[in-house]
Amino acid sequence: MTTTKPLRLGTRGSKLALTQSQMVADELTAVTGRPVELVRIVTPGDTSSAPVAQLGVGVFVSALRDALLADEIDFAVHSYKDLPTGEHPRLHIAAVPRREDPRDVLIARDGRALADLSPGSVVGTGAVRRIAQLRALGLELQVTPIRGNIDTRMARVLGPDADLDAVILARAGVSRIGRAAEITETLDPTLMLPAPAQGALAVECRSGDTDLVELLAALDHAPTRAAVLAERALLATLEAGCAAPVAAYARLVRGGHAGSAPGDGRGEEMIHLRGAVISPDGVRAIRLSRTGTPAGAAEIGKALAADLLDAGADTLMGSTE
């Protein structure tokens, strides 16, 4: 690629999407020297006020993919958890950059932690997964579904017209738009297991653009790709979409123990994957885990999904209908 013509990066127009896309653009330019320009694309998810669970899987990425296939843009940046689990025949995930912290966070009035919220406190979240896990904690909280960008949702707790006691959001998004200081608690995954691929980005281009595939590969972070592959393989095997009450969190560890850290010298690097399926009312939950090698990331996810199904996970997911 000898031309210096800017690469066209397709992005949604939200503050978070623009921030994430600019991060990728800046890193690509820094690593390869290629200039990048952002091209805003409006998606159906941006123009609808319906709950995400009703809009369906892929609602935030379909317009970006259409623009890619029409050669209106050269590549796109997605929040990985928004992508359908099936592979696209003409598109390729060329890079999965280093993941942001995948945990969920609480933003509450008066700096309160989750355990400090009084019974009857109103907590906003649009995710079935989060609603189910909140109810499973038995804190007698009122949960209300909400939508909107991060600033809008935070304003419902911290703004002059606040009508909620707290909201639960992904830490990655809050951090990326520079509002991490307003987080009142980062939720332990034992209480609130993240969504598959939460905190990760997917950099996608056309499969046939081999030079661009090679160029974008400079942004790939192998440990993040392996972790996300395991989580999404679990989701795909369960045949559950991004709005299902399914949670998964993979970590690369040493010696196969979640308490050991990479680089501590205690054995080879392994993936420890935790998965959970929770009934929407929070009454029933199945939580299991598996460990394996990064090379077998997809197989770990498939195997853990099979374990969850053997334990009755399909009946919990079916109860969302």
Side-chain angles (χ1 to χ4, degrees):
M1 303 179 90
T2 57
T3 179
T4 56
K5 181 179 179 181
L7 292 168
R8 300 165 298 170
L9 193 171
T11 176
R12 294 170 58 198
S14 71
K15 182 178 180 179
L16 175 59
L18 290 169
T19 300
Q20 293 175 164
S21 295
Q22 192 63 57
M23 285 168 46
V24 171
D26 291 345
E27 184 178 358
L28 185 64
T29 299
V31 172
T32 69
R34 286 298 304 270
V36 179
E37 64 179 14
L38 268 54
V39 179
R40 298 191 190 192
I41 305 291
V42 178
T43 77
D46 298 318
T47 57
S48 173
S49 60
V52 174
Q54 293 180 14
L55 292 173
V57 176
V59 67
F60 293 113
V61 304
S62 58
L64 289 169
R65 286 181 155 181
D66 288 344
L68 263 177
L69 295 171
D71 197 20
E72 296 169 1
I73 57 175
D74 298 305
F75 67 111
V77 173
H78 311 286
S79 289
Y80 211 148
K81 68 178 182 179
D82 291 337
L83 283 175
T85 53
E87 291 189 12
H88 194 289
R90 296 172 55 193
L91 300 176
H92 175 67
I93 305 299
V96 184
R98 183 185 292 271
R99 188 183 207 174
E100 186 72 57
D101 189 331
R103 294 175 294 176
D104 285 311
V105 296
L106 184 80
I107 296 171
R109 296 190 192 193
D110 304 320
R112 295 183 179 183
L114 189 62
D116 298 328
L117 295 177
S118 305
S121 294
V122 183
V123 181
T125 174
V128 174
R129 169 191 61 84
R130 292 179 181 136
I131 294 170
Q133 291 187 88
L134 268 180
R135 289 172 174 163
L137 295 175
L139 298 177
E140 299 182 29
L141 303 172
Q142 292 186 46
V143 185
T144 185
I146 59 171
R147 275 205 62 195
N149 60 41
I150 295 174
D151 288 327
T152 299
R153 285 181 277 176
M154 290 179 66
R156 295 190 63 177
V157 175
L158 305 176
D161 299 318
D163 62 340
L164 301 175
D165 296 298
V167 292
I168 295 179
L169 303 168
R171 183 179 178 92
V174 177
S175 297
R176 284 174 180 147
I177 67 167
R179 299 193 67 178
E182 293 160 273
I183 293 170
T184 55
E185 182 181 10
T186 298
L187 300 175
D188 192 298
T190 58
L191 300 177
M192 184 70 64
L193 201 63
Q198 185 160 298
L201 301 177
V203 182
E204 187 173 53
C205 66
R206 291 177 291 276
S207 304
D209 289 350
T210 53
D211 287 346
L212 186 55
V213 168
E214 183 177 349
L215 189 77
L216 294 174
L219 303 181
D220 196 62
H221 184 244
T224 295
R225 183 180 281 269
V228 168
L229 180 59
E231 294 168 10
R232 284 175 57 83
L234 179 147
L235 187 66
T237 305
L238 290 175
E239 298 183 348
C242 63
V246 174
Y249 182 25
R251 292 180 56 212
L252 268 70
V253 298
R254 287 288 178 183
H257 299 290
S260 54
D264 67 5
R266 291 186 288 172
E268 64 177 321
E269 195 170 63
M270 306 287 281
I271 286 182
H272 178 74
L273 174 64
R274 283 182 280 172
V277 179
I278 311 97
S279 63
D281 59 9
V283 172
R284 299 171 60 203
I286 302 170
R287 304 174 187 270
L288 299 171
S289 65
R290 268 188 179 259
T291 301
T293 64
E299 286 68 31
I300 298 167
K302 293 174 184 176
L304 184 54
D307 293 342
L308 289 164
L309 290 170
D310 286 344
D314 54 336
T315 61
L316 274 61
M317 290 187 294
S319 62
T320 62
E321 298 176 356

